[in-house]
């Protein structure tokens, strides 16, 4: 299981600052979150970024995640 | 975790300052920008805009305009028969052409195409629009008050708690620890409200395009934009067309800074062309650029920071309200993520509220939201230092984020370069230079995320051994030079043997916008990998000629060499020689790379500025300015320096004089460069760029994006300098002379 | 509507065109004569991107009616290089990276050339004030000012 | 719209008198902006730059005469005029950018009747007269009497200003103009102060103070001038000048500055301007 840290207001909505998901890559992580945590669905639909061990990923499903990885959900980033 | 891309090496080309490949065209007037292209049979487009901040469109009578000689098409929202399902695209459509309501002064309500500019202008005058004027709100703090006119019913996201009115579209909160506990440990707490005005990117080239669309849905668009793929994709979605049937070609782009990362008028040009059956050129004028293309959000922030006597920040909170204009955006969220990112805080909480108002849709301006995030934070830290008699650089170093720090937005930082910029600032002669009367020195830090995104590059080895490199990102400030250099470095050939082109949307796969400080990082990475791919192919071709295994060949100095004596004795085979036999060895030689690289890494900067305040008029003069920022690896240092200098200059304008001024009637009062006061040459000193090079592990050469972070620190750096030169703390931007003088008089 | 016939000299070439009375010189240069090097950034004389010289005098071509060009000698960015030989300012701008997006560059070059013709040894302050009407949003002006000063120095040395 | 380029003043007046909707085109730096923004839609423009008499700076009968079509850049390049009336020339040199100065005229600056016109307070302080030609002949009108309100002038149908005249420089006199703008260039004045004065030894014998951008039209601040006359221009006199100048200002709040700021800065600018004018009168600058 991977511990996934939620950002402040998302944690408020989920009632927890962390949730656990069975995942070995980004794709599995996103699917697991969507399936198990309906409260996250609106944010997932709007798009999110994910920090894995301090690096920020937007899209790449194949990005590996180790069981002890630090995984933090982020709101989707845009630039200028 | 993905493996590091970075490998230390000696460079031959990288880090030098060659003349940019597109340079001659740009100093001789040959380069073609958005408005410079024409087509046979071309018509001139023009847009009629709402003079009201908020109004119901009762009716539009286009009959007189349509009847005019030379008028070939007149369109209103009724002509856009496709309604996009996606909310963001539906907003783009509504912003390009108002539906039931005009939501801001300058909102498009109709458009024409005519055989001349003057006929098009006359036709706009002939269109009669009947408006029912509605109550409006343009100020972010007014918009969140009970009883404010609500801009959109039913758009509030589920993440907004009870108690906020409908103009608060979204709420996002970040942080960790327990700030209330932290504040108890503070010796001094400062709590204040800060505001920033909306500013425009102020690119000198007005938005422009030349569009052609047939009844069969096949079309072409020539457009000045930061992303021609984005323009194609969004325009197709808005009009209900197949993206693949439209080819978008990027013109040269005369500045963007985030403002050209959106679609503002291209679907209108395409629709006019389809109606008229002819190509249509649609060039906005400056007034339209200010009124109808996205400026930044204005902001209001309530901040509270506690510090101990010896400079430790014990807790911090900040609520940011950013007005996103007439349509939802995510700027407050970014402010709430970025403001405290430079600091290692045990107890921190931020929240960002996205607020809609009757203003043009806000867009990014370099690092979106980050300057508004940093201004209150860096101002209050400085004020704490002043009141506690602490050194502002040492105090920042003491609290600086470093490897292992948990960021306010959640993750634990890997190795980052903030401390390096602070140490460089401390060691620089600027820090200890003497100051005169009414002069002060300010410092501030800034943070921005960089990112990668979809990238597609092709590298063609031509029959004569020269190289054509195709990339899909408009060159906004020297990126052709950077790509050419990376390709030449990797291939081991002279720079003049490579020419880089910005390909149209039919020639390469999807490319993300030129934004997010991504191009030198992501397109550079793809360029290097495309070159490596081509090298692999060339090694195979040489292997075939020599009758040895490709693994027994190494590539150096632009040629295939046998790898050691065991591989056989062959003279090196140059790229030219390999290209000459390509038809005999398997056909054309090309390398390509398609990826979504995600190792951009985050970026920090520290800025230092000296100002002098005129005690009698409140005028602030910038005397000296130094930028310290990590570039990872500067490919072409001139253009890295240019990004540092340009961002700082824009921040200076934001800090001192630039603002959107709205009247009671909700109309923009200063939609021109006369009264929207961007810095002129005589306003500024030289801006010294100090490039730090701490390699980014996510790029083969260590490149880190540099385009955006430089606009983050100046707002507070200048406020801090003004505070130290005139003993007043300005909390509302811009720090225009009337505000500074009033503050000094109130002291 | 009847159009006005204008005979003028542009970059040394005798040129004739027809224009409407309200058309500016910039309109005609760009839309009728295909001299698109002069840019329209504001159409109000505030940005300088359309800078040209008329009888040697630096002006914004957006603030001059095309009909006023009758009998005048106009120089635009397209006339600055002598064939393949760049003007020293053009060359220096390239060498010193004094442009980013390049949209203001033609106007800046035309204005800087006019300055150096009048004052071969300007101070930094004089360069900054002379170019105050040429807005640049990319560079912070630093490299532009340096390039003009360096060119002036080179040209003085060569003279 | 028609375009006329008359060769003589009489021809220009004939065109103007015959067409009430025609506009004079001198430098055009204001007119073209207004044409483009569709703020005005004249039936014709009358370009006066082909009228020789309007394109030169001359000195008939000891007075300076600046033709209505002379751009401010030419004023700045005229050593004699600059030596005589440096304040007027500096004010003209502040109108817009280098490019704008290549076209803009002080006559146009006056006739646009903009409250913030830079050259007008300087000309008023210097005692400039407008040479007004019309169907009934030519008359000389004090410059301060040309604008009557924002965008409005006292010119009658068919009349045009053909030149600005300035007296020959009186002995021991000096003039100056300063304005306040938020940037260093390219802005419209938030406050403008023109002062011309004559010294008798160390004493100010005569002075005229004119204020711009702090009222609907240029303000002749007699009380401010009185604060200087009979003094040496010492600190106390300058303070009195500042106070009187601020008191004479009748500014409004707008996008360029608050009324309070303008009132305060009027006094500050008056002091600074007076110092320069005094130094010039004494031959020290």
């Amino acid at each position: 299981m991977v511990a996934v840290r939620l950002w402040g207001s998302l944690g408020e909505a989920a009632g927890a600052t962390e949730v656990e998901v069975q995942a070995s890559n980004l794709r599995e992580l996103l699917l697991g979150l969507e399936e198990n945590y309906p409260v996250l669905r609106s944010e997932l639909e709007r798009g999110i970024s994910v920090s894995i061990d301090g690096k920020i990923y937007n899209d790449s499903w194949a990005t590996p995640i180790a069981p002890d990885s630090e995984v933090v959900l982020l709101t989707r980033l845009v630039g200028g | 975790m993905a493996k590091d891309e970075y490998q230390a090496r000696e460079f031959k080309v990288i880090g030098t300052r060659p003349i940019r490949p597109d340079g001659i065209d740009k100093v001789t007037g040959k380069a073609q920008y958005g408005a410079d292209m024409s087509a046979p049979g071309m018509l001139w487009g023009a847009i009629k805009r709402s003079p009201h901040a908020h109004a119901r469109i009762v009716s539009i009578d286009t009959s007189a305009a349509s009847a005019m000689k030379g008028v070939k098409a007149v369109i209103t929202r009724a002509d856009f028969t496709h309604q996009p399902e996606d909310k963001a695209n539906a907003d783009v459509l509504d912003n390009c052409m108002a539906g039931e309501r005009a939501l801001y002064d300058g909102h498009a309500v109709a458009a024409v195409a005519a055989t001349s500019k003057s006929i098009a202008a006359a036709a706009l005058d002939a269109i009669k629009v009947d408006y029912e004027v509605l109550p409006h709100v343009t100020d972010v703090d007014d918009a969140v008050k009970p009883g404010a006119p609500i801009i959109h019913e039913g758009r509030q996201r589920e993440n907004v708690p009870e108690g906020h009115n409908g103009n608060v579209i979204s709420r996002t909160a970040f942080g960790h620890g327990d700030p209330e506990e932290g504040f108890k440990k503070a010796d001094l707490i400062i709590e204040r409200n800060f505001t920033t005005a909306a500013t425009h990117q102020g690119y000198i080239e007005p938005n422009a395009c030349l569009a052609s669309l047939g009844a069969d849905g096949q079309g072409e668009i020539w457009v000045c934009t930061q992303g021609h793929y984005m323009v194609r994709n969004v325009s197709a979605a808005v009009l209900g067309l197949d993206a693949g049937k439209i080819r978008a070609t990027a013109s040269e782009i005369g500045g963007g800074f985030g403002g050209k990362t959106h679609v503002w008028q291209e679907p209108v040009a395409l629709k006019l062309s389809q109606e008229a059956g002819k190509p249509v050129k649609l060039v906005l004028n400056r007034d339209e650029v200010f009124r109808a293309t996205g400026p930044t959000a204005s902001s209001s922030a309530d901040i509270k920071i506690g510090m101990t006597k010896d400079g430790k920040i014990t807790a911090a909170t900040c609520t940011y309200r950013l007005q996103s204009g007439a349509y939802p955006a995510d700027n407050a969220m970014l402010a709430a993520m970025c403001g405290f990112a430079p600091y290692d805080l045990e107890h921190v909480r931020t929240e960002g509220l996205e607020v809609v108002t009757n203003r043009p849709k806000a867009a990014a301006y370099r690092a979106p939201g980050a300057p508004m995030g940093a201004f209150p934070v860096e101002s209050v830290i400085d004020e704490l230092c002043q009141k506690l008699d602490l050194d502002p650089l040492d105090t920042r170093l003491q609290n600086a984020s470093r490897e292992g720090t948990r960021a306010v937005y959640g993750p634990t930082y890997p190795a980052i370069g903030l401390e390096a910029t602070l140490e460089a600032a401390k060691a620089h002669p600027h820090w200890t230079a003497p100051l005169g009367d009414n002069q002060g020195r300010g410092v501030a830090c800034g943070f921005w995320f960089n990112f990668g995104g979809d990238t597609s590059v092709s590298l063609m080895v031509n029959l004569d051994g020269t190289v054509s490199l195709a990339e899909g990102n408009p060159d906004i400030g020297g990126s052709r030079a950077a790509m050419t250099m990376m390709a030449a470095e990797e291939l081991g050939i002279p720079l003049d043997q490579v020419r880089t082109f910005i390909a149209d949307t039919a020639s390469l796969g999807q490319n993300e916008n030129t934004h997010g400080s991504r191009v030198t990082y992501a397109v550079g990475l793809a360029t290097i990998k495309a070159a490596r791919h081509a090298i692999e192919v060339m090694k195979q071709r040489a292997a075939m000629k020599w009758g040895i295994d490709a693994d027994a060949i190494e590539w150096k100095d632009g040629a295939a060499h046998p790898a050691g004596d065991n591989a056989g004795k062959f003279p090196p085979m140059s790229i030219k020689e390999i290209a000459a036999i390509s038809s005999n060895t398997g056909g054309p030689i090309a390398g390509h790379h398609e990826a979504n690289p995600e190792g951009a890494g985050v970026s920090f900067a520290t800025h230092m500025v000296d100002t002098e305040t005129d005690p009698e008029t409140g005028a602030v003069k910038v005397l000296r300015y130094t930028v310290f920022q990590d570039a990872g690896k500067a490919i072409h240092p001139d253009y890295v320096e240019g990004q540092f200098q340009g961002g700082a200059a824009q921040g200076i304008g934001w800090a001192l004089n630039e603002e959107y001024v709205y009247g009671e009637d909700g109309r923009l009062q200063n939609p021109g460069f006369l009264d929207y006061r961007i810095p002129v040459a005589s306003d500024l000193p030289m801006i010294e760029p100090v490039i730090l090079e701490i390699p980014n592990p996510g790029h083969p050469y260590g490149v880190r994006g540099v385009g955006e972070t430089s606009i983050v620190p100046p707002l507070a750096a200048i406020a801090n300098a003004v505070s130290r030169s005139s003993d007043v703390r300005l909390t509302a931007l811009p720090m225009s002379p009337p505000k500074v003088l009033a503050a000094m008089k109130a002291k | 509507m009847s159009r006005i016939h204008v005979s003028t000299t542009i970059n040394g070439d005798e040129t004739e065109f027809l224009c409407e009375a309200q058309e500016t010189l910039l309109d005609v240069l760009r839309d009728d004569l295909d001299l698109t090097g002069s840019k329209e950034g504001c159409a109000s004389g505030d940005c300088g991107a359309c800078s040209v010289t008329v009888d040697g005098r630096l002006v914004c071509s957006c603030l001059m009616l095309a009909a006023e060009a009758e009998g005048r000698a106009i120089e635009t960015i397209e006339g600055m290089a002598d064939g393949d030989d760049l003007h020293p300012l053009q060359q220096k701008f390239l060498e010193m990276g004094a442009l980013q997006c390049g949209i203001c560059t033609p106007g800046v070059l035309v204005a800087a050339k006019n300055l150096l013709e009048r004052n071969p040894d300007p101070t930094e302050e004089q360069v900054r004030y002379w170019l105050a009407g040429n807005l640049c949003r990319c560079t912070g002006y630093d490299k532009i000012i340096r390039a003009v000063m360096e060119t002036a120095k080179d040209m003085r040395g060569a003279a | 719209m028609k375009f006329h380029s008359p060769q003589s003043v009489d021809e220009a007046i004939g065109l103007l008198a015959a067409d009430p909707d025609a506009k004079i085109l001198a430098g055009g730096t204001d007119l073209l902006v207004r044409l483009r923004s569709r703020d005005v839609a004249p039936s014709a423009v009358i370009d006066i730059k082909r009228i020789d008499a309007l394109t030169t700076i001359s000195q008939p009968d000891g007075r300076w005469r600046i033709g209505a079509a002379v751009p401010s850049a030419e004023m700045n390049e005229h050593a004699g005029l600059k030596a005589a009336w440096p304040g007027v020339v500096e004010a003209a040199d502040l109108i817009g950018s280098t490019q704008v100065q290549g076209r803009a005229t002080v006559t146009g600056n006056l006739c646009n009747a903009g409250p913030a016109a830079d050259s007008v307070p300087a000309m008023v302080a210097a005692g400039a007269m407008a040479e007004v030609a019309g169907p009934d002949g030519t008359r000389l009108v004090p410059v301060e009497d040309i604008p009557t309100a924002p965008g409005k002038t006292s010119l009658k149908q068919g009349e045009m200003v053909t030149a600005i005249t300035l007296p020959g420089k009186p002995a021991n006199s000096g003039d100056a103009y300063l304005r306040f703008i938020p940037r260093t260039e390219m802005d419209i004045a938030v406050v403008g102060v023109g002062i011309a004065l004559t010294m008798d030894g160390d004493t100010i014998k005569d002075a005229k103070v004119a204020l711009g951008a702090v009222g609907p039209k240029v303000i002749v601040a007699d009380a401010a001038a009185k604060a200087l006359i009979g003094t040496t221009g010492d600190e106390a006199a300058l303070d009195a000048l500042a106070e009187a100048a601020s008191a004479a200002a009748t500014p409004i709040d707008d996008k360029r500055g608050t009324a309070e700021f303008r009132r305060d800065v009027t006094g500050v600018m008056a002091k600074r301007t007076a110092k320069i004018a005094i130094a010039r009168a004494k031959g020290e600058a």
Side-chain angles (χ1 to χ4, degrees), chain B residues 121-122 125 285 614 616-617 619 657 661 669-670 673-678 680 682-683 737-738 741 745, chain D residues 36 38 180-188 190 254-258 260-261 264-265 268-269 271-272:
Chain B
D125 288 345
N285 60 40
D614 183 334
E616 293 182 316
T617 66
N657 279 311
V661 180
Q669 295 197 337
N670 57 339
F673 281 135
L674 182 61
D675 284 305
Y676 184 86
R677 303 185 191 98
I678 80 171
V680 302
S682 49
D683 291 340
L741 188 62
K745 280 176 74 182
Chain D
R36 174 66 181 237
R38 308 170 77 75
F180 182 83
I181 53 171
R183 291 180 293 189
T184 53
E185 264 284 11
M186 302 303 292
D187 288 329
I188 301 289
V190 178
D254 72 5
K255 62 189 171 188
R256 292 171 187 151
T258 61
E260 187 193 354
F261 177 78
D264 288 345
V265 173
V268 173
M269 289 293 126
K271 265 172 100 162
R272 294 180 183 180

Side-chain angles (χ1 to χ4, degrees), chain B residues 426-669:
Chain B
K426 248 182 100 170
H428 194 278
H430 185 171
W431 184 231
T432 47
L435 288 165
D437 290 345
N438 302 313
Q439 296 180 357
R441 177 166 299 139
V443 294
C445 296
F447 162 88
W448 178 243
F449 302 98
N450 290 332
F451 49 89
D454 283 332
T455 307
S456 173
V457 164
S458 286
L459 185 150
M460 284 67 74
V461 178
N462 303 310
L463 292 178
D464 63 356
T466 60
V467 170
S468 301
L469 179 69
E471 56 142 321
N473 278 89
D475 179 355
I476 206 158
S479 61
R480 280 189 192 88
M483 299 318 142
T484 305
M485 290 168 77
M486 284 187 261
E489 182 78 49
E490 201 62 34
L491 292 167
I493 59 176
L495 263 184
D496 67 1
Q497 297 297 293
V498 182
R499 185 167 173 204
T500 300
F501 295 84
I502 312 303
D504 62 56
T505 55
S507 304
L508 287 175
Q510 171 72 17
N511 278 281
E512 179 66 51
N513 287 345
T514 296
H515 69 166
S517 303
R518 69 177 288 273
V519 171
T520 311
Y521 164 73
V523 183
L525 180 145
T527 296
I528 291 164
K529 297 209 168 178
R532 289 179 184 172
H533 180 202
I535 288 169
E536 286 311 307
V537 175
M538 289 189 283
K539 280 157 77 172
Q540 285 162 13
R541 303 299 176 88
M544 186 185 292
K545 170 96 184 289
W546 289 336
I548 64 173
D549 202 53
D551 292 342
I553 292 180
E554 66 176 358
W555 188 267
K556 62 180 183 196
D557 300 332
H561 298 252
D565 293 340
N566 292 342
K569 285 212 186 305
F570 303 100
M573 198 170 173
S574 70
I575 189 168
K576 190 172 178 173
E577 291 163 323
I578 296 171
I581 57 164
S582 61
S583 304
N584 314 101
T585 55
I589 298 171
H592 59 97
H593 190 75
E594 294 79 26
N596 184 345
E598 307 226 71
V602 295
S603 166
F604 292 90
T606 297
H607 287 201
M608 187 178 296
V609 58
D610 297 351
T611 62
E612 180 172 319
T613 308
D614 183 334
E616 293 182 316
T617 66
V620 173
K621 186 173 168 56
V622 178
L623 303 171
R624 183 170 182 179
Y625 205 106
T626 311
V627 177
F628 306 90
Q629 190 177 324
D630 177 15
K633 177 69 200 173
I635 299 296
H636 191 310
D638 276 349
Y639 297 106
V640 174
E641 291 168 359
Q643 291 296 321
F644 290 6
Q645 292 164 332
Q650 290 180 326
I652 291 168
W654 198 337
L656 293 179
N657 279 311
E658 294 181 35
E659 62 180 317
Y660 265 43
V661 180
Y662 279 91
E664 290 289 315
D665 57 2
R667 299 188 65 183
L668 182 61
Q669 295 197 337

Side-chain angles (χ1 to χ4, degrees), chain A residues 5 8-9 58-60 70 80, chain B residues 173 333 406 410 412 596 598 708:
Chain A
R5 198 181 298 156
S9 46
N58 283 324
D59 304 298
S60 301
E70 181 199 64
Chain B
M333 165 194 102
R406 184 165 168 198
T412 305
N596 184 345
E598 307 226 71
E708 294 168 288

Side-chain angles (χ1 to χ4, degrees), chain B residues 362-377:
Chain B
Y365 181 17
R366 293 190 190 253
M372 303 81 144
F375 173 54
V377 172

